[in-house]
């Protein structure tokens, strides 16, 4: 895993994520907060509905 870009603004982060995904749809991109000392990625099979929601200054991925 490699850092692709760093952001200070949650909305800019989301815009950057969408741009990178659009340019490279075959790649997986993840967004992590830099306060995390260790990064853990657990891939799970999901068949529900996902929706991004702005909560204050943070983006949240909601699953239904």
């Amino acid at each position: 895993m490699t850092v692709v870009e760093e952001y200070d603004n949650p909305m800019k982060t989301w815009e950057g994520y969408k741009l990178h995904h659009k340019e490279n749809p075959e790649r997986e991109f993840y967004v992590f907060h830099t306060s995390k000392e260790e990064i853990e990625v657990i891939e799970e099979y999901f068949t529900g509905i996902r929706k991004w929601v702005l909560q204050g200054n943070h983006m949240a991925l909601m699953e239904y």
Side-chain angles (χ1 to χ4, degrees):
M1 204 179 310
T2 251
V3 174
V4 176
E5 200 154 344
E6 295 182 25
Y7 300 92
D8 293 326
N9 178 305
M11 293 307 292
K12 294 287 183 188
T13 303
W14 178 232
E15 290 169 14
Y17 172 86
K18 291 188 295 185
L19 177 66
H20 286 293
H21 183 70
K22 183 178 180 179
E23 291 176 350
N24 301 282
E26 72 284 353
R27 294 182 62 192
E28 291 287 333
F29 293 95
Y30 301 93
V31 176
F32 297 99
H33 196 279
T34 54
S35 67
K36 303 270 186 196
E37 288 186 24
E38 293 185 24
I39 296 173
E40 181 179 5
V41 176
I42 301 171
E43 293 188 83
E44 297 179 359
Y45 183 72
F46 181 75
T47 59
I49 298 171
R50 291 187 173 134
K51 177 181 179 181
W52 283 97
V53 178
L54 179 62
Q55 295 181 333
N57 292 332
H58 305 284
M59 293 296 293
L61 178 60
M62 309 300 286
E63 295 183 343
Y64 301 94

